[in-house]
């Protein structure tokens, strides 16, 4: 939806933000959600919020490269490339039309919401067509309080919120695929995919349209005696051996810094992985997968859920 953005007229005490000349442009809506789930829409002119021109850090991160040099040979070899954390800067103005009391309440509520000691928040950009991408952030600076003539008035404030971004990837909407068994043994090319009566066994294709690897969450609902999940594109395999009933479920979270494998949300299953198992990701583009669940019945199901990761908002 169109939002209103201030023109180049400088803000002064006689011209608070809600009186600045305006122009309508198509821009994404930007919101911040704190760890407690409270969302502040920063592009909400009617309620006294507006994002100013000059946002930074919305696209690619910088990269660190581990290199090797050899005597007598020009240049160097790159051994590893790693995307680094970054900062995002959002210039914002906010105000209250009715009173300074209302303005101060709004300011204090924003400060409380931004407190980084409460944990990581989320910046979300919503395009006019409804598409969304989000990124985990921690407030770094910007709300220290600048009451100079061009940055604040009795009922308004202009500042630049700077957020630390530990993981540089924007996250897209959740993608989910499911497979289960069928007593008839027929294969159906729709989701959930249904194959064999003794094992979920199928060569399936998953297209990760993100700009980088995506790490899936697997949920296996019993009965089953072992699970083998293979990414043929990368040659990596995950093998877990554990007998479960139809009342049990296994959740394997392969996401970086969150890796867990739990039975019914409680029992740690790390000892049940084979020594060669890898909590593999989906590469960018086409991934050819082979999924096998031994000891399965018509009630057995495998579900894979992931969120594509993007280098730009």
């Amino acid at each position: 939806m169109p939002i209103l953005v201030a023109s180049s007229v400088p803000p002064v005490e006689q011209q608070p933000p809600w009186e600045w000349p305006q122009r309508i442009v198509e821009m994404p809506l930007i919101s911040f959600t704190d760890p407690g789930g409270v969302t502040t829409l920063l592009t909400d002119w009617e309620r006294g919020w507006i994002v100013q021109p000059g946002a930074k850090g919305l696209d690619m991160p910088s990269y660190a490269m581990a290199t090797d040099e050899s005597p007598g040979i020009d240049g160097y070899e790159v051994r590893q490339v790693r995307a680094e954390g970054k900062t995002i800067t959002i210039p914002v103005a906010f105000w209250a039309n009715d009173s300074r009391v209302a303005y101060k309440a709004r300011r204090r509520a924003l400060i409380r919401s931004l407190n980084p000691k409460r944990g990581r928040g989320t910046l979300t950009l919503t395009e006019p067509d409804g598409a969304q991408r989000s990124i985990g952030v921690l407030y770094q600076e910007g709300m220290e309080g600048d009451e100079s003539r061009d940055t604040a008035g009795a009922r308004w404030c202009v500042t630049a919120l700077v957020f630390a971004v530990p993981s540089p990837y924007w996250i897209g909407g959740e993608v989910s695929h499911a497979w289960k068994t069928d007593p008839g043994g027929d294969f159906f090319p729709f989701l959930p995919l249904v194959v064999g009566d003794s094992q979920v066994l199928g060569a399936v294709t998953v297209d990760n349209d993100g700009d980088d690897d995506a790490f899936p969450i697997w949920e296996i609902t019993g009965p089953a005696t072992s699970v083998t999940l293979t990414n043929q594109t990368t040659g990596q395999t995950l093998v877990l051996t554990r007998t479960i009933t139809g009342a049990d479920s296994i959740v394997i979270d392969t996401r970086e810094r969150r890796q867990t494998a739990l039975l019914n949300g409680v029992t740690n299953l790390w000892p049940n992985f084979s020594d060669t198992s890898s909590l593999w990701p989906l590469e960018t583009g086409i991934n050819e997968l082979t999924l096998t669940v031994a000891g399965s019945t018509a009630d057995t199901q495998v579900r894979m859920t992931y969120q594509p990761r993007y280098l730009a908002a």
Side-chain angles (χ1 to χ4, degrees), residues 55-67:
K56 297 179 180 179
L58 299 181
D59 289 338
M60 289 189 72
S62 59
Y63 287 83
M65 298 185 186
T67 62

Side-chain angles (χ1 to χ4, degrees), residues 98-182:
D98 44 3
S99 68
R100 178 166 174 80
V101 171
Y103 161 71
K104 291 293 289 185
R106 172 168 297 176
R107 183 185 183 96
R108 287 165 178 158
L110 176 62
I111 289 172
R112 184 183 306 113
S113 187
L114 290 173
N115 185 355
K117 286 189 174 182
R118 298 176 59 205
R120 189 175 302 191
T122 303
L123 273 182
T124 301
L125 271 66
T126 304
E127 294 291 341
D129 64 0
Q132 288 189 337
R133 289 184 184 175
S134 61
I135 195 165
V137 298
L138 292 152
Y139 166 81
Q140 182 169 305
E141 60 183 345
M143 285 297 295
E144 294 83 3
D146 183 352
E147 299 297 325
S148 57
R149 180 178 176 84
D150 290 345
T151 58
R155 293 181 284 126
W156 60 274
C157 173
V158 179
T159 189
L161 299 176
V162 179
F163 296 96
V165 185
S167 176
Y169 300 107
W170 290 87
I171 304 301
E174 189 175 273
V175 180
S176 185
H177 301 279
W179 300 266
K180 65 184 303 182
T181 57
D182 170 45

Side-chain angles (χ1 to χ4, degrees), residues 3-313:
I3 67 167
L4 300 173
V5 176
S7 72
S8 59
V9 175
V12 295
E13 187 65 40
Q14 290 74 28
Q15 289 181 311
W18 58 90
E19 295 177 2
W20 297 345
Q22 304 298 314
R23 58 189 175 89
I24 298 177
V25 294
E26 291 286 337
M27 290 186 64
L29 303 180
I30 301 178
S31 63
F32 172 76
T33 303
D34 70 19
V38 175
T39 297
T40 302
L41 181 57
L42 302 176
T43 42
D44 191 351
W45 175 265
E46 294 182 354
R47 292 176 175 81
W49 296 93
I50 188 168
V51 171
Q52 298 294 286
K56 297 179 180 179
L58 299 181
D59 289 338
M60 289 189 72
S62 59
Y63 287 83
M65 298 185 186
T67 62
D68 287 326
E69 297 184 5
S70 300
I73 300 177
D74 296 334
Y76 55 83
E77 287 289 336
V78 177
R79 288 189 289 106
Q80 185 183 60
V81 179
R82 181 178 60 85
E84 296 186 308
K86 61 179 182 178
T87 60
I88 291 177
T89 302
I90 306 292
V92 64
F94 59 95
W95 62 93
N97 284 326
D98 44 3
S99 68
R100 178 166 174 80
V101 171
Y103 161 71
K104 291 293 289 185
R106 172 168 297 176
R107 183 185 183 96
R108 287 165 178 158
L110 176 62
I111 289 172
R112 184 183 306 113
S113 187
L114 290 173
N115 185 355
K117 286 189 174 182
R118 298 176 59 205
R120 189 175 302 191
T122 303
L123 273 182
T124 301
L125 271 66
T126 304
E127 294 291 341
D129 64 0
Q132 288 189 337
R133 289 184 184 175
S134 61
I135 195 165
V137 298
L138 292 152
Y139 166 81
Q140 182 169 305
E141 60 183 345
M143 285 297 295
E144 294 83 3
D146 183 352
E147 299 297 325
S148 57
R149 180 178 176 84
D150 290 345
T151 58
R155 293 181 284 126
W156 60 274
C157 173
V158 179
T159 189
L161 299 176
V162 179
F163 296 96
V165 185
S167 176
Y169 300 107
W170 290 87
I171 304 301
E174 189 175 273
V175 180
S176 185
H177 301 279
W179 300 266
K180 65 184 303 182
T181 57
D182 170 45
D186 295 325
F187 182 86
F188 299 92
F190 53 82
L191 298 179
L193 297 180
V194 185
V195 292
D197 61 349
S198 62
Q199 58 186 2
V200 178
L201 174 62
V204 297
T205 300
V206 175
D207 185 2
N208 170 22
D209 76 346
D211 301 325
D212 207 276
D213 292 348
F215 290 84
I217 299 173
W218 297 92
E219 182 177 3
I220 300 96
T221 303
T225 56
S226 69
V227 181
T228 303
L229 311 172
T230 302
N231 188 332
Q232 301 290 355
T233 301
T234 64
Q236 296 172 297
T237 297
L238 183 157
V239 180
L240 185 149
T241 302
R242 177 78 178 219
T243 298
I244 61 174
T245 70
D248 296 322
S249 66
I250 292 171
V251 176
I252 304 170
D253 189 340
T254 72
R255 291 175 296 176
E256 295 171 309
R257 297 187 175 90
R258 302 187 188 182
Q259 296 174 339
T260 57
L262 296 174
L263 173 63
N264 299 327
V266 177
T267 305
N268 178 25
L269 295 179
W270 283 113
N272 298 100
F273 284 114
S274 70
D275 293 339
T276 58
S277 287
S278 172
L279 299 183
W280 48 261
L282 298 168
E283 284 193 334
T284 296
I286 299 299
N287 291 258
E288 302 293 345
L289 311 182
T290 301
L291 315 175
T292 305
V293 179
S296 64
T297 71
D299 295 322
T300 305
Q301 178 173 277
V302 175
R303 179 176 295 275
M304 178 188 69
T305 304
Y306 69 94
Q307 291 181 284
R309 304 196 300 177
Y310 300 95
L311 291 171

